[in-house]
Amino acid sequence: MSTAFALGDAIAKALLYVLPSQWSTRIQKNCGEVSFLVLKTGKTKTKRKMTLIEGVFATLLFDLAIFNTDNFFINFIIRTFTRFQNSWDRPFINQSEAKDEVGKFCENIGIEQTPWVWDKQPQEYKCLNDFFSRTYAPAYAPSIGDQDVVSPACCTMSLYSDNGSLQRLLIKGCDYALDKVGLRPPEDLTL
């Protein structure tokens, strides 16, 4: 563990002791473990949703929105992340940069690089957004069989057992009603 992560973890643990218990509980829940199925192996794995310091930051600023979302500081953070995300469309200068940047991206978010299971080699991607929308190489494409749920992405999906467990969908401090996010009404989804 790097010094920065150790320091962040220590700060986060200290904050959990001094914050109101409802906030600390919410932070721990947001940092909790999530189980997921690895289609390639058929095994279930578990990982933390985020580090403790990320959980403190995200929960206080966005989930609980303790500073509200209509202020300079929060909007600066959102603009900074947006600027970073928009840079994903910047073309790589050459294949060497593509290979380096794709490799760093994989390392940062834990995408396995051996074996390389994607349709193009790292140096063949034109920008990070090109890699983000990658597809599996035919030899590694997972078999979905007769599964009830298929995720069209290489991601971790969250499954809510009922509408009661999803009373409120909070994204970056803003409430979104499920009937306004483009999902079909439940009566249209019955078989």
Side-chain angles (χ1 to χ4, degrees):
M1 178 184 286
S2 74
T3 305
F5 283 116
L7 179 61
D9 195 45
I11 292 169
K13 286 179 181 177
L15 284 170
L16 288 178
Y17 286 109
V18 298
L19 290 172
S21 63
Q22 306 99 302
W23 293 7
S24 294
T25 301
R26 185 66 174 249
I27 291 166
Q28 290 172 337
K29 181 179 178 191
N30 287 344
C31 293
E33 292 188 339
V34 61
S35 295
F36 57 97
L37 175 67
V38 178
L39 293 176
K40 183 178 171 186
T41 63
K43 295 182 180 180
T44 301
K45 287 188 174 182
T46 304
K47 70 175 185 176
R48 292 188 64 79
K49 294 177 188 173
M50 60 182 87
T51 66
L52 197 53
I53 193 67
E54 290 170 327
V56 168
F57 177 79
T59 304
L60 295 180
L61 295 181
F62 300 118
D63 187 6
L64 297 173
I66 63 170
F67 299 113
N68 203 342
T69 56
D70 188 24
N71 73 51
F72 175 79
F73 180 66
I74 299 300
N75 286 315
F76 172 78
I77 292 171
I78 293 170
R79 276 194 307 277
T80 301
F81 282 124
T82 301
R83 209 173 297 119
F84 169 74
Q85 288 172 330
N86 289 344
S87 72
W88 284 26
D89 286 324
R90 182 190 60 78
F92 295 129
I93 295 170
N94 54 39
Q95 288 189 331
S96 177
E97 182 188 33
K99 185 176 181 178
D100 291 345
E101 292 298 317
V102 168
K104 283 186 224 173
F105 182 80
C106 291
E107 286 174 26
N108 287 340
I109 65 169
I111 296 174
E112 292 181 27
Q113 297 181 64
T114 304
W116 188 256
V117 299
W118 311 112
D119 64 332
K120 295 191 274 189
Q121 291 301 306
Q123 65 274 13
E124 296 177 57
Y125 289 95
K126 304 297 180 204
C127 62
L128 277 178
N129 215 13
D130 185 25
F131 178 70
F132 188 75
S133 57
R134 66 199 176 276
T135 58
Y136 283 102
Y140 292 99
S143 170
I144 58 173
D146 60 354
Q147 299 298 313
D148 292 333
V149 177
V150 176
S151 171
C154 178
C155 65
T156 302
M157 292 178 46
S158 296
L159 177 65
Y160 297 90
S161 59
D162 56 38
N163 288 336
S165 64
L166 189 59
Q167 288 293 319
R168 186 175 85 154
L169 180 61
L170 189 67
I171 301 172
K172 293 186 180 177
C174 300
D175 289 312
Y176 289 85
L178 287 179
D179 60 346
K180 294 185 171 85
V181 296
L183 297 175
R184 309 240 343 137
E187 59 270 11
D188 289 352
L189 300 176
T190 56
L191 299 176

